[in-house]
Amino acid sequence: METFDEIYLDLSKQPGKCRFVETGLGWKLGNGDPFTLDAAEFTQAQWSRASRGYEIKVYSRNNAVVQLDGFQQEDFERISKLFKNWYRINLEHKEHALRGWNWGKADFGKAELHFNVQSRPAFSIPYSEVSNTNLAGKNEVAVDFSNPANGDETGTNGHLGGARAKGRKTGAARDQLVEMRFYIPGSTAIKEENGENGDA
Amino acid sequence: SLNGTEEKKFKRFESYKRDNQFPPKVKDLAVVVDAKSSTIVLPIMGRPVPFHINTIKNASHTPDGDVTYLRINFLSPGQGVGRKDDQPFEDASAHFIRSLTFKSKDIDRMEEVVKQITELKKNAVRREQEKKQMED
């Protein structure tokens, strides 16, 4: 068993205890209800820099994205070893784009939309967090994010120490992302096509 | 220079080289202006995401009751002010982030963020012009 303190689950308000055992992982805040994920559910795992320390991102079979933030850089060896030995999963060290560019390629993955700059993600957005998308203008696509009331609502009824249910992650931030607009060359063609289909 | 019009060239820039260069304040999951690196760091799904001042067109915020909406507009093709879009791009066929909007309860801090971004942008444009004059 390996235990780590001061870890945030899915951008929870409070940090809790994260525990890895041979059969899976758990997270708990104080005497609250524990969150657990069976190792059989893991499909992929990544290690990368987060706002709060380093993050382990675990993708599960139902395409959910579990984020555990607050690890120390030097925890990597220990954790990648246990992922390999216990779960037979390679904890991939994912480097993110740091160039500060606003151009690249929007790439639609299985569970997330990635914005890649020179083949490295600048950021990723789980589809569970997107509330709406629409063509806002010529070549312009708007993506709206679920915006929980006051940012206080987590969708877990106070369980799991303020960890966030699907569609609530953006509310974790002090400044909450509510909308993102992309310029996608050629996206007017999609609109015209749809229009024609509508007329037919 | 051709017919009196000078073709603008795209110049490469970079916010950070390593992920230990982020300002410590990014842990607050708030908008952070890092003047030293000419960069705005934005919280997106728990990650600090840098945007160099050269990518930013402008920033403004719109208060609504006890919150405010910070909107950052980025430079992207197809939005030239005049008839001709003379803004140079490294790759005009790429996908671009055109704008990001953040909701915040800290109206005073957002006011300050807008001022800082505007100031940073002004300085960057001025430096660019000074450099061009020296080259001429």
Side-chain angles (χ1 to χ4, degrees), chain A residues 60-127:
Chain A
S60 74
R61 294 217 177 275
N62 61 357
N63 287 333
V65 179
V66 177
Q67 288 175 262
L68 291 159
D69 295 357
F71 291 96
Q72 307 290 317
Q73 192 167 16
E74 54 269 25
D75 293 335
F76 177 72
E77 293 253 327
R78 207 170 132 202
I79 299 170
S80 66
K81 202 179 270 176
L82 73 86
F83 264 80
K84 197 174 160 205
N85 292 342
W86 290 347
Y87 314 138
R88 307 273 170 242
I89 280 182
N90 174 36
L91 181 65
E92 186 192 355
H93 191 157
K94 195 86 181 171
E95 302 251 17
H96 280 71
L98 301 173
R99 290 186 173 272
W101 295 359
N102 70 320
W103 67 95
K105 192 171 183 299
D107 182 41
F108 296 89
K110 237 176 168 180
E112 295 168 304
L113 158 65
H114 307 282
F115 190 76
N116 294 321
V117 173
Q118 292 194 313
S119 306
R120 284 181 180 181
F123 56 84
S124 303
I125 293 163
Y127 296 129

Side-chain angles (χ1 to χ4, degrees), chain A residues 26-45:
Chain A
W27 181 90
K28 196 170 146 172
L29 175 66
N31 294 318
D33 300 331
F35 165 86
T36 58
L37 189 65
D38 202 284
E41 292 295 312
F42 300 0
T43 57
Q44 214 191 324

Side-chain angles (χ1 to χ4, degrees), chain A residues 44-62:
Chain A
Q44 214 191 324
Q46 280 177 7
W47 171 270
S48 60
R49 177 70 157 87
S51 297
R52 296 190 286 212
Y54 281 77
E55 175 188 88
I56 296 175
K57 194 185 256 189
V58 179
Y59 295 88
S60 74
R61 294 217 177 275
N62 61 357

Side-chain angles (χ1 to χ4, degrees), chain A residues 13-26:
Chain A
K13 285 183 188 168
Q14 304 292 327
K17 212 181 267 294
C18 177
R19 194 164 274 176
F20 296 93
V21 293
E22 282 198 62
T23 52
L25 67 87

Side-chain angles (χ1 to χ4, degrees), chain B residues 31-35 39-42 51-53 56-60 70-74 110-124:
Chain B
V31 174
V32 176
V33 179
D34 181 8
T39 293
I40 321 300
V41 187
L42 301 175
F51 288 96
H52 195 277
I53 192 68
I56 293 174
K57 195 177 170 191
N58 55 41
S60 60
L70 170 75
R71 182 173 170 129
I72 300 174
N73 290 314
F74 297 88
M110 284 299 117
E111 178 74 34
E112 193 54 36
V113 161
V114 168
K115 264 191 214 156
Q116 288 175 340
I117 295 176
T118 308
E119 190 64 22
L120 211 55
K121 181 75 200 173
K122 230 166 54 189
N123 291 344

Side-chain angles (χ1 to χ4, degrees), chain A residues 48-49 51 54-55 67 98-104 106 140 147 174-176 178-179 181-183, chain B residues 13 15-16 19 29 31 45-47 52 74-75 95-99 101-106 109:
Chain A
S48 60
R49 177 70 157 87
S51 297
Y54 281 77
E55 175 188 88
Q67 288 175 262
L98 301 173
R99 290 186 173 272
W101 295 359
N102 70 320
W103 67 95
E140 189 166 312
N147 195 214
R174 195 160 160 197
D175 300 329
Q176 304 167 15
V178 291
E179 194 210 55
R181 287 185 179 223
F182 292 97
Y183 168 83
Chain B
F13 48 84
S15 286
Y16 303 110
D19 63 20
L29 289 112
V31 174
M45 299 298 155
R47 195 171 302 288
H52 195 277
F74 297 88
L75 293 166
H95 299 162
F96 283 74
I97 293 160
R98 189 166 257 186
S99 75
T101 306
F102 289 84
K103 179 178 151 183
S104 180
K105 289 181 195 170
D106 304 335
R109 187 169 51 84

